[in-house]
């Protein structure tokens, strides 16, 4: 039972017919936008500024694959993606319940608005692609009973003592300890069972842990939005007041922290050390990327004991040496040479690394986590990671273009804000490459009067937006190449369509 509605699975003939219809419908849509045979988006769409973005069309098509005939009957196996996406917010709400009504209200606020939900959609579609790989080619890890419903399993069944063999809805620690109270009935939001969809699981192979992974990813992303809106002093998000405006800065920050805490518990219950490591690292990546953004570029005029925040320069306490700290090797350092070309190259490296940490890290590591949970071999896992990385970079680079070109209403959040926040994104970096004197504006974060206007005009003069678009196209192409390692399927077609459509999105 799902929301009181009976689930019906048709005969094998019905399923075969439904599959054929699904493939035909996807091919018609994909052919329309040349997303499979031609990697270029139609010129009419690129050149017509009044045309409707295909991004939302791609998201809707990918969500559905085949839309159920009505909400009461799920008689098409492909509708599992539509079902999961349409119930995503409701499923997450069951994971984030607290004992305080206001905290519940704030932490669920962004899930009420219509968001793109691209990250969980990618996880679900990629999981569906991975399910097409034969089981004998998915033996990197043993898949347990709670991963695959009614499907052939690898030799052996996890014992009752096996942590990995327990359900994602079962707590590892007694609930009375987790909640700090011992009432007669403990209602643990993280122990509410997921929808039981054995028939769909059998046909589609999306694992329960992969479905939970999609929910976790959206929780982490939403927590970062709550924090970002406080940091960036935003006043709108998804077309309505941002969390900090609707509830105050303090409540928005606390709600973001709470979401991360709930997500961390759900991560632990996936009971896979590699996946726990991947997802936990994404949280640290988001914070590290935010600190990189505070500095803006590797060439910032600040020294290591001074930082500029909200147009104010603040001297920070010097390290005492009692707690030795060391910067890890995976970072962007100041170039030893000081010529213009080297400086620009270092600035681009800094920008792309920051973009990876803030946006692409969650997409890439969740894609890799989905592949790990499927038991796929190392080459498939690596390509899934690279797909998420290239897609995430493409997505954010297009976001940086839209910041220059979209209105507030279309974008759903304040547009043309990057320069006002002192951020040097790809468009201005391309302009700086042609006009070295822009380096002074970038170093001082466009803080002086007239800097923002000068930078914006330079972007137009030196085709910064067009060059940034070509950069996004390169990452789009790489992402499509990564998908080639997966078996041909409707889900892969949908991911290809979604990847292509990112270049034409308007929000």
């Amino acid at each position: 039972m799902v929301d009181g509605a009976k689930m019906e699975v048709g005969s094998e003939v019905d399923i075969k017919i439904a599959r054929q219809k699904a493939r035909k419908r996807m091919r018609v849509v994909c052919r329309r936008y040349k997303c499979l045979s031609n990697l270029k988006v139609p010129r009419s769409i690129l050149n017509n500024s009044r045309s409707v973005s295909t991004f939302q069309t791609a998201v809707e098509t990918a969500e559905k694959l085949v839309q159920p005939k009505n909400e009461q009957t799920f008689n098409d196996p492909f509708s599992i993606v539509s079902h999961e996406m349409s119930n995503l917010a409701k499923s997450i709400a069951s994971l984030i319940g607290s004992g305080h009504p206001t905290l519940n209200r704030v932490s669920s606020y962004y899930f009420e608005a219509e968001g793109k939900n691209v990250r969980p959609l990618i996880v679900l579609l990629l999981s569906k692609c991975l399910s097409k790989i034969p089981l004998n080619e998915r033996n990197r890890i043993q898949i347990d009973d709670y991963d695959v419903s009614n499907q052939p399993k690898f030799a052996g069944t996890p014992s009752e003592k096996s942590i990995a063999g327990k359900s994602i809805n079962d707590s590892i620690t007694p609930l009375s300890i987790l909640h700090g109270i011992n009432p007669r009935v403990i209602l643990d939001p993280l122990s509410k069972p997921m929808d039981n969809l054995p028939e769909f699981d059998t046909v589609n192979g999306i694992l329960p842990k992969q479905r939970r992974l999609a929910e976790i990813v959206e929780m982490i992303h939403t927590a970062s939005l709550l924090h970002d809106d406080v940091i960036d002093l935003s006043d709108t998000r998804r077309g309505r007041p941002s969390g900090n405006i609707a509830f105050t800065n303090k409540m928005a920050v606390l709600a973001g922290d709470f979401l991360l805490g709930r997500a961390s518990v759900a991560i632990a219950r996936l009971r896979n050390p590699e996946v726990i490591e991947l997802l936990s690292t994404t949280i640290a990546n988001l914070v590290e990327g935010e600190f990189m953004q505070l500095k803006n570029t590797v060439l910032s005029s600040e020294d290591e004991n001074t930082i500029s925040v909200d147009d104010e320069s603040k001297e920070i306490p010097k390290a005492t040496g009692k707690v030795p700290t060391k910067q890890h090797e995976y970072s962007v350092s100041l170039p030893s040479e000081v010529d213009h070309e080297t400086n620009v190259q270092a600035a681009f490296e800094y920008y792309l690394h920051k973009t990876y940490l803030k946006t692409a890290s969650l997409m890439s590591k969740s894609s890799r986590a989905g592949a790990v949970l499927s038991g796929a071999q190392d080459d498939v896992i690596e390509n899934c990671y690279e797909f998420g990385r290239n897609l995430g970079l493409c997505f954010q680079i297009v976001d940086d273009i839209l910041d220059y070109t979209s209105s507030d209403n279309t974008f759903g959040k304040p547009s043309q804000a990057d320069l006002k926040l002192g951020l040097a994104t790809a468009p201005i970096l391309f302009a700086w490459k042609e006009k070295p004197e822009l380096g002074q504006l970038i170093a001082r974060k466009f803080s002086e009067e007239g800097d923002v206007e000068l930078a914006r005009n330079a972007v137009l003069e030196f085709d910064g937006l067009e060059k940034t678009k070509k950069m996004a196209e390169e990452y789009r192409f790489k992402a499509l190449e990564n998908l080639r390692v997966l078996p041909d399927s409707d889900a892969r077609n949908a991911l290809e369509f979604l990847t292509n459509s990112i270049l034409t999105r308007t929000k």
Side-chain angles (χ1 to χ4, degrees):
M1 300 286 286
V2 180
D3 295 337
K6 280 190 175 181
M7 291 186 356
E8 299 176 5
V9 178
S11 65
E12 292 184 6
V13 175
D14 293 334
I15 291 176
K16 185 176 181 181
I17 293 174
R19 279 178 172 171
Q20 291 173 346
K21 289 182 178 179
R23 293 192 180 97
K24 183 177 180 181
R25 196 169 302 182
M26 273 303 302
R27 288 194 186 103
V28 169
V29 177
C30 290
R31 195 179 300 120
R32 179 180 177 185
Y33 297 107
K34 299 182 181 179
C35 69
L36 299 180
S37 60
N38 188 343
L39 294 178
K40 294 182 179 179
V41 178
R43 188 177 300 277
S44 60
I45 293 177
L46 290 176
N47 294 339
N48 186 356
S49 61
R50 302 182 68 180
S51 66
V52 178
S53 167
T54 60
F55 181 70
Q56 190 60 36
T57 303
V59 171
E60 292 172 357
T61 304
E63 283 179 3
K64 297 172 184 176
L65 290 185
V66 175
Q67 177 65 41
K69 294 181 180 178
N70 57 63
E71 295 181 358
Q72 275 66 47
T73 304
F74 294 87
N75 57 10
D76 191 312
F78 287 122
S79 66
I80 184 171
V81 176
S82 176
H83 169 76
E84 287 302 319
M85 291 303 299
S86 62
N87 287 276
L88 180 71
K90 188 186 298 183
S91 298
I92 292 175
S94 71
L95 297 178
I96 61 176
S98 78
H100 197 291
T102 305
L103 179 54
N104 289 340
R105 182 77 186 89
V106 186
S107 58
S108 63
Y109 181 65
Y110 280 170
F111 296 111
E112 297 172 348
E114 183 180 347
K116 293 183 281 288
N117 295 329
V118 173
R119 291 154 188 84
L121 178 60
I122 290 170
V123 170
L124 290 171
L125 285 174
L126 197 56
S127 299
K128 193 167 171 125
C129 291
L130 291 161
S131 72
K132 303 300 180 183
I133 300 175
L135 280 177
N136 61 357
E137 297 177 17
R138 290 194 284 142
N139 54 6
R140 184 174 182 267
I141 61 171
Q142 179 171 304
I143 302 177
D144 59 50
D145 290 333
Y146 292 99
D147 281 332
V148 181
S149 300
N150 301 329
Q151 287 192 20
K153 307 171 190 62
F154 299 124
T157 301
S159 67
E160 293 181 0
K161 294 182 180 179
S162 171
I163 293 179
K166 292 183 179 293
S167 168
I168 52 179
N169 297 309
D170 293 338
S171 67
I172 301 171
T173 306
L175 295 181
S176 58
I177 294 176
L178 293 180
H179 293 282
I181 56 175
N182 192 20
R184 296 179 204 172
V185 179
I186 296 178
L187 298 177
D188 179 20
L190 283 166
S191 290
K192 292 180 180 178
M194 302 174 68
D195 289 340
N196 185 20
L197 303 172
E199 295 89 351
F200 283 166
D201 284 344
T202 300
V203 176
N204 288 277
I206 294 182
L207 314 178
K209 287 185 180 180
Q210 289 172 326
R211 283 191 268 144
R212 178 54 51 82
L213 172 64
E215 296 163 7
I216 291 169
V217 167
E218 189 62 12
M219 291 168 70
I220 294 174
H221 172 61
T222 303
S224 73
L225 297 183
L226 283 163
H227 288 161
D228 282 353
D229 286 343
V230 173
I231 294 168
D232 297 338
L233 306 176
S234 300
D235 53 13
T236 59
R237 170 70 66 178
R238 294 175 178 173
R240 63 177 187 167
S242 54
N244 50 306
I245 297 298
F247 296 99
T248 74
N249 284 343
K250 183 177 289 188
M251 281 196 262
V253 170
L254 290 173
D257 292 343
F258 180 73
L259 278 177
L260 290 177
R262 280 288 189 235
S264 297
V265 177
I267 291 169
R269 290 182 183 175
L270 293 176
R271 294 171 167 87
N272 183 296
E274 186 172 356
V275 172
I276 293 171
E277 183 179 57
L278 283 166
L279 296 181
S280 298
T281 304
T282 66
I283 299 174
N285 289 157
L286 289 168
V287 177
E288 190 175 353
E290 197 63 50
F291 265 80
M292 287 185 72
Q293 184 161 291
L294 287 175
K295 188 177 179 183
N296 186 28
T297 76
V298 71
L299 305 173
S300 174
S301 58
E302 301 164 356
D303 60 43
E304 61 180 8
N305 295 316
T306 305
I307 192 167
S308 178
V309 180
D310 300 337
D311 297 329
E312 293 184 7
S313 183
K314 179 177 177 61
E315 187 172 337
I316 60 177
K318 295 182 180 179
T320 63
K322 290 183 178 180
V323 181
T325 57
K326 184 179 180 181
Q327 186 171 315
H328 64 63
E329 59 183 298
Y330 299 100
S331 58
V332 181
S333 58
L334 189 68
S336 56
E337 301 180 29
V338 291
D339 62 281
H340 176 61
E341 186 176 345
T342 302
N343 287 344
V344 172
Q345 184 178 352
F348 267 109
E349 184 181 352
Y350 190 94
Y351 162 72
L352 289 172
H353 188 54
K354 179 201 71 176
T355 299
Y356 169 78
L357 293 172
K358 281 180 61 67
T359 302
S361 172
L362 187 56
M363 288 187 181
S364 61
K365 289 175 181 172
S366 61
S367 296
R368 185 181 181 92
V372 168
L373 291 172
S374 76
Q377 298 301 316
D378 287 343
D379 65 322
V380 174
I381 291 174
E382 187 63 31
N383 272 281
C384 286
Y385 167 77
E386 289 295 332
F387 165 72
R389 180 182 184 276
N390 291 319
L391 185 71
L393 290 172
C394 177
F395 189 92
Q396 184 58 49
I397 291 169
V398 170
D399 222 48
D400 294 339
I401 295 173
L402 293 177
D403 188 73
Y404 281 82
T405 61
S406 296
S407 65
D408 290 4
N409 291 335
T410 302
F411 210 17
K413 55 185 176 182
S415 60
Q416 303 177 13
D418 285 347
L419 291 175
K420 296 176 185 177
L421 290 171
L423 305 181
T425 56
I428 188 63
L429 293 180
F430 276 115
W432 178 38
K433 186 175 182 179
E434 303 298 327
K435 190 174 183 178
E437 52 265 39
L438 289 174
Q440 297 177 3
L441 280 67
I442 294 172
R444 63 177 181 247
K445 299 184 179 181
F446 318 104
S447 58
E448 294 186 6
E449 186 176 353
D451 281 357
V452 170
E453 195 61 33
L454 283 172
R456 190 171 289 146
N457 290 337
V459 168
L460 296 176
E461 179 182 357
F462 295 103
D463 299 323
L465 295 178
E466 188 61 34
K467 292 172 182 175
T468 303
K469 186 177 178 182
K470 289 181 179 178
M471 175 188 278
E473 288 174 347
E474 290 175 3
Y475 284 108
R476 184 272 310 267
F477 179 80
K478 291 178 182 178
L480 290 169
E481 286 296 300
N482 295 133
L483 288 175
R484 297 292 186 266
V485 304
L486 299 171
D488 185 23
S489 66
D490 289 321
R492 198 187 85 174
N493 292 347
L495 279 175
E496 290 173 339
F497 185 27
L498 183 65
T499 301
N500 275 303
S501 68
I502 285 176
L503 291 174
T504 61
R505 71 188 182 93
T506 57
K507 61 180 180 178

